Amino acid sequence: MNRVITFGEIMLRLTTPGFQRFQQSSALEVTFGGAEANVAVAIAQLGGEAAFVTRLPSHEIAERTLGVLRGLGVDVAQVVRGGERMGVYYLEQGASQRAGKVIYDRTGSAMATAQPGDFDWKTIFGGARWFHWSGITPALSSSARQITEEACCAARAAGLTVSFDLNYRAKLWTLGEAARALEPLMQYVDLCVTSAEEASAVFGIESANGPGREERAAKELQKRFDFRQIALTERRANIANETQWAASLFTGGEIVRSSDYDISIVDRVGAGDSFTGALIFALLRGDESLKAVEFAVAASCLKHTIPGDFNLVTIAEVEALVAGGGGGRVQR
């Protein structure tokens, strides 16, 4: 059974319509999102088996959140109920030279106030093969850091593969706080997803700019933390709504790199999570390294074109893009 468990916070997402700024919008579009939930949705939409674990209060907005996830094929049976409020984030989409903006309102959320022992990890991990978490979750509070370690220990004891997306958020903690909290947890990680820039900022991984930077970063990460696999995303952009996107996967001393995609962006939030979800899906179905990273980058390329956090694409659409079926023509 290739069941994947993801753990983290899902938030109410409130977005200004179109490219309106916060100060000019009279309405906000309501959706939901969060890194680990996004990964679970990506896997489920591709046909994999994914469960999302979090803590949510008992009220109507939380019920709607769970209903949305269920409708997208994600198992939410092990979500813990408690706390007074959901986390919220406000999003203003960027355009051209104007960057997008996120405002968090998640202090004191149900996940931030969760405590060790709230989650029955033995039951949660029963029948599972993979556990995924990101650096956002331990950034929420000291208790969330303890729970993350508790989960990692239980996953390792249960024999699960553990993946981790560094996902540094400067609005949640400092680089020093992130390094001190995350480094001890790297002993549990099999697959690390990050970028050369992020690894340098948080872990001090030195890899000079220029050709071969990702391979140098991967080798340094593997040397320090003994990861089995390392995925490094590459984004090159000069304006907010266009980017070039690719990734590399390092396994057993060998690095492979995907094709490059030039993307006109509709919504970039969740694009990295869609890459991670598709990569996990591809590795679990037995894809070799190059095929897996090509599949994951193509899935993430498509996510850039979809409003909202979730990657609502089919496996056929991703495989068509990998095979060269892009171009954006209307399918009739």
Side-chain angles (χ1 to χ4, degrees):
M1 182 182 293
N2 290 337
R3 180 176 171 83
V4 180
I5 309 296
T6 74
F7 171 63
E9 180 170 51
I10 189 167
M11 294 171 287
L12 181 68
R13 167 177 156 164
L14 302 175
T15 311
T16 58
F19 294 97
Q20 290 185 7
R21 307 217 68 187
F22 288 129
Q23 59 263 45
Q24 71 181 129
S25 178
S26 60
L28 294 169
E29 298 171 349
V30 177
T31 53
F32 303 95
E36 299 84 2
N38 298 344
V39 170
V41 170
I43 293 168
Q45 290 292 288
L46 292 169
E49 184 179 358
F52 175 61
V53 178
T54 191
R55 183 174 183 253
L56 287 173
S58 297
H59 58 45
E60 289 79 1
I61 303 303
E63 289 302 327
R64 179 176 173 185
T65 308
L66 296 177
V68 168
L69 291 173
R70 289 190 194 99
L72 294 171
V74 176
D75 182 357
V76 292
Q78 295 299 326
V79 169
V80 170
R81 310 311 289 267
E84 299 296 325
R85 62 185 301 268
M86 283 183 63
V88 179
Y89 85 93
Y90 301 84
L91 174 65
E92 174 187 291
Q93 296 282 11
S96 193
Q97 280 73 25
R98 176 171 60 83
K101 289 187 177 181
V102 167
I103 298 173
Y104 287 126
D105 178 17
R106 59 202 301 183
T107 302
S109 68
M111 261 304 302
T113 57
Q115 298 298 315
D118 283 350
F119 300 89
D120 181 358
W121 295 111
K122 184 175 181 180
T123 299
I124 290 167
F125 289 145
R129 182 172 173 184
W130 196 292
F131 174 57
H132 176 74
W133 61 286
S134 89
I136 295 174
T137 304
L140 299 176
S141 65
S142 59
S143 60
R145 288 191 280 279
Q146 295 175 58
I147 297 168
T148 303
E149 182 171 15
E150 181 182 77
C152 287
C153 288
R156 178 54 58 87
L160 274 63
T161 298
V162 177
S163 58
F164 160 76
D165 187 340
L166 183 48
N167 258 348
Y168 175 70
R169 297 292 182 264
K171 291 189 175 183
L172 296 180
W173 55 359
T174 67
L175 289 168
E177 289 171 333
R180 287 191 294 274
L182 295 175
E183 286 192 16
L185 299 178
M186 294 303 97
Q187 63 181 305
Y188 304 106
V189 174
D190 298 296
L191 166 64
C192 175
V193 181
T194 184
S195 67
E197 296 84 359
E198 199 175 44
S200 175
V202 177
F203 292 138
I205 297 296
E206 293 302 325
S207 55
N209 290 330
R213 184 183 186 187
E214 278 66 37
E215 183 170 9
R216 291 191 294 273
K219 287 180 177 179
E220 286 300 312
L221 282 166
Q222 202 280 332
K223 181 179 178 181
R224 183 182 301 184
F225 298 118
D226 197 27
F227 299 131
R228 284 170 47 197
Q229 293 179 303
I230 300 157
L232 294 166
T233 57
E234 304 172 42
R235 183 187 294 279
R236 290 179 291 280
N238 294 316
I239 61 175
N241 45 353
E242 291 184 5
T243 192
Q244 188 177 76
W245 183 247
S248 301
L249 183 62
F250 183 85
T251 303
E254 178 187 8
I255 192 164
V256 293
R257 188 178 184 278
S258 76
S259 304
D260 289 283
Y261 289 90
D262 293 308
I263 305 169
S264 294
I265 299 171
V266 172
D267 190 335
R268 75 167 63 205
V269 179
D273 306 320
S274 68
F275 168 81
T276 301
L279 181 63
I280 292 169
F281 174 85
L283 292 172
L284 279 173
R285 72 176 180 179
D287 287 4
E288 49 83 24
S289 294
L290 182 58
K291 184 178 180 181
V293 75
E294 289 282 15
F295 181 86
V297 168
S300 183
C301 172
L302 293 173
K303 165 61 194 77
H304 284 82
T305 71
I306 300 170
D309 271 51
F310 300 145
N311 197 18
L312 307 178
V313 297
T314 66
I315 189 170
E317 289 172 321
V318 178
E319 291 179 338
L321 181 56
V322 173
R329 294 183 179 86
V330 176
Q331 296 179 352
R332 302 180 188 275

